[in-house]
Amino acid sequence: MPSPITVAVTGGAGQIGYSLLFSIARGAIFGPDQPVRLKVLEIPPAMKVVEGVALELEDCAFGLLEGLDLSDDPDAALSDVNWALLVGSKPRGPGMERGDLIRENGPIFVSQGKALQKAAPDVRVLVIGNPCNTNCLIARHNAPEIPDERWFAMTRLDHNRAVNQLAVKSGVDVSAVERVTIWGNHSATQYPDYHHALISGEPAASVIDDEQWLQGDFISRVQKRGAEVIEARGKSSAASAASAICDHVRTFHHGTAENDWTSAAVVSDGSYGITEGLIASFPIQATSSGWEIVQGLETNEFSRARIDTSVSELEQERDVVSDLL
Ligand code: NAX
């Protein structure tokens, strides 16, 4: 057996944590031969709940789970970890604007960024807690020695939602849908782009041949899918978010399938005219040793306008937290 991979999960007492921790311990990310250690961070009032989750993890008798530490101290929970999955954050309260939420959650990512400086030298960080792009920006600025290519904010759930919409519309299996891209912010301004997507190897627009749907319902359904889940379930997406977290980490650990790509928000290098330094979602191809932004895709006027709208929202969010950077 190889030596264990250590994964930190913040917000372990929350809804996503309740699904994610069990998936990791079962081998859903690193496979059936790779032991893991889990380090779970919570806030003091939630420690009792997370202790209950730990009891259940023990009761699963997972052969791959080599260690489980619980803590309410970011320095302890984030030290020596290979992956940090930053899920925990405060939910949006009644009457709260997006800007208020950003200000409310920003300080969490200042302290967690600082604590990440004690992580393992190969640490990779995935921010899920919303607003995840800007929270990732804050954490990164507070851990300047962690290289840019190790930071991610999650748009994989949006990517998976877009893949599913195209598969359902065209009556194929999800595995037949490739090269979907989510651009920009993980928010309602995100731009799910079908222009380069393939369905069974053919351009999505020729298989579906319904531009009105592709430019209308497809995009808005993906953008508003989180609200659709809340409306139906009375709670925000949790199991699908945990599954997308596993997909993201697995993809960046093992690589994307040949000829396909994934979506993830990464530190912009200015590709596609997206402001350098923002954490924006791009099409990404990964291997087990690294990743790069897919270059050379044509962005027509329709796409350009939507990418610009989402990037401009990211710039506004960055300005709201400028004192934390
Ligand atoms: P919950 O409210 O169920 O759980 C959040 C947990 O975080 C709580 O247990 C809370 O005690 C803990 N927490 C709060 N502050 C903390 C801190 N400083 N350190 C450690 N833990 C802390 O939320 P849940 O449904 O699990 O969602 C978690 C986050 O994921 C939310 O911000 C949510 O908006 C975000 N999401 C992001 C998605 C994405 O695609 N990027 C999709 C799903 C989800 O909406």
Side-chain angles (χ1 to χ4, degrees), residues 171-229:
V172 301
D173 189 85
V174 284
S175 62
V177 179
E178 296 169 302
R179 301 192 176 193
V180 169
T181 306
I182 304 294
W183 297 93
N185 200 1
H186 167 71
S187 74
T189 69
Q190 65 174 266
Y191 172 47
D193 184 359
Y194 66 88
H195 287 90
H196 308 282
L198 300 176
I199 298 174
S200 307
E202 301 294 322
S206 70
V207 176
I208 290 179
D209 194 21
D210 182 349
E211 196 174 68
Q212 201 182 342
W213 181 83
L214 284 166
Q215 298 196 348
D217 284 355
F218 164 66
I219 294 174
S220 65
R221 192 112 192 249
V222 175
Q223 288 172 331
K224 296 180 192 151
R225 185 67 161 189
E228 192 181 339
V229 170

Side-chain angles (χ1 to χ4, degrees), residues 78 81-84 116 119-125 146-147 149-151:
L78 298 176
V81 301
N82 306 107
W83 271 93
L116 279 165
D122 68 345
V123 67
R124 286 187 268 182
V125 186
I146 300 179
E149 68 271 15
R150 309 274 187 71
W151 295 96

Side-chain angles (χ1 to χ4, degrees), residues 281-305:
S281 187
F282 285 95
I284 307 272
Q285 280 180 324
T287 65
S288 57
S289 56
W291 58 265
E292 49 191 36
I293 294 171
V294 176
Q295 298 294 338
L297 300 179
E298 194 203 323
T299 48
N300 62 17
E301 213 177 303
F302 180 88
S303 295
R304 196 68 253 169

